[in-house]
Amino acid sequence: MTFPEDYPFNPPTFRFNNEFYHPNGTMESYSGVLVSIISLLADPNCSSPANVDAGVDYRKNRDVFESIVKKQVEASKSDIPKGFKMPESEKDFMPTAPAELEEDENFWYESGDDSDFGVDDFDEDDE
């Protein structure tokens, strides 16, 4: 994924580096965001496939299609760096707060005081 210098005004581009058997996929770059890519992968548009063979297999030979995709997924695992731990839950994605912030138990919470919201800066006589 490559982000342009004027990001977020223009979207990143995305390129699959490994074999990619999908009705709408080729090795070319895609412009868009991750949500679009996930949507494309989950729900291919077989009425206008970029890869005709994958489109036909997806519609008519699903076992063949899934077999090819599974082989490509297994082959792509060789690209995973040694020692990489695959996330297993949402907690694996969440960074831990620095110790100095964890020590201040009120850091992450609003106090609920009106002064937090600038309310006491307003004088009713100013209306």
Side-chain angles (χ1 to χ4, degrees), residues 1-120:
M1 180 173 271
T2 305
F3 290 84
E5 288 183 26
D6 59 349
Y7 179 83
F9 301 105
N10 280 302
T13 57
F14 185 89
R15 177 178 171 85
F16 291 97
N17 292 325
N18 296 332
E19 289 184 271
F20 179 61
Y21 195 68
H22 189 276
N24 306 119
T26 62
M27 297 299 285
E28 65 196 44
S29 294
Y30 288 90
S31 179
V33 293
L34 288 177
V35 173
S36 298
I37 294 167
I38 292 168
S39 176
L40 174 75
L41 294 175
D43 188 21
N45 176 2
C46 292
S47 63
S48 180
N51 182 333
V52 176
D53 293 335
V56 170
D57 284 343
Y58 185 84
R59 284 187 320 229
K60 297 182 178 180
N61 306 311
R62 190 63 66 97
D63 291 339
V64 170
F65 176 83
E66 289 178 1
S67 173
I68 292 170
V69 171
K70 285 178 183 179
K71 286 179 187 173
Q72 291 177 345
V73 167
E74 286 304 313
S76 73
K77 290 180 180 179
S78 67
D79 294 337
I80 298 172
K82 291 187 185 232
F84 178 79
K85 183 181 179 297
M86 188 63 72
E88 296 176 2
S89 72
E90 197 173 291
K91 290 180 183 177
D92 294 336
F93 291 100
M94 302 301 288
T96 305
E100 60 271 12
L101 295 181
E102 287 297 328
E103 291 172 9
D104 181 2
E105 63 187 49
N106 293 319
F107 179 81
W108 298 108
Y109 302 99
E110 295 284 346
S111 70
D113 293 342
D114 287 341
S115 61
D116 287 345
F117 306 103
V119 172
D120 38 340

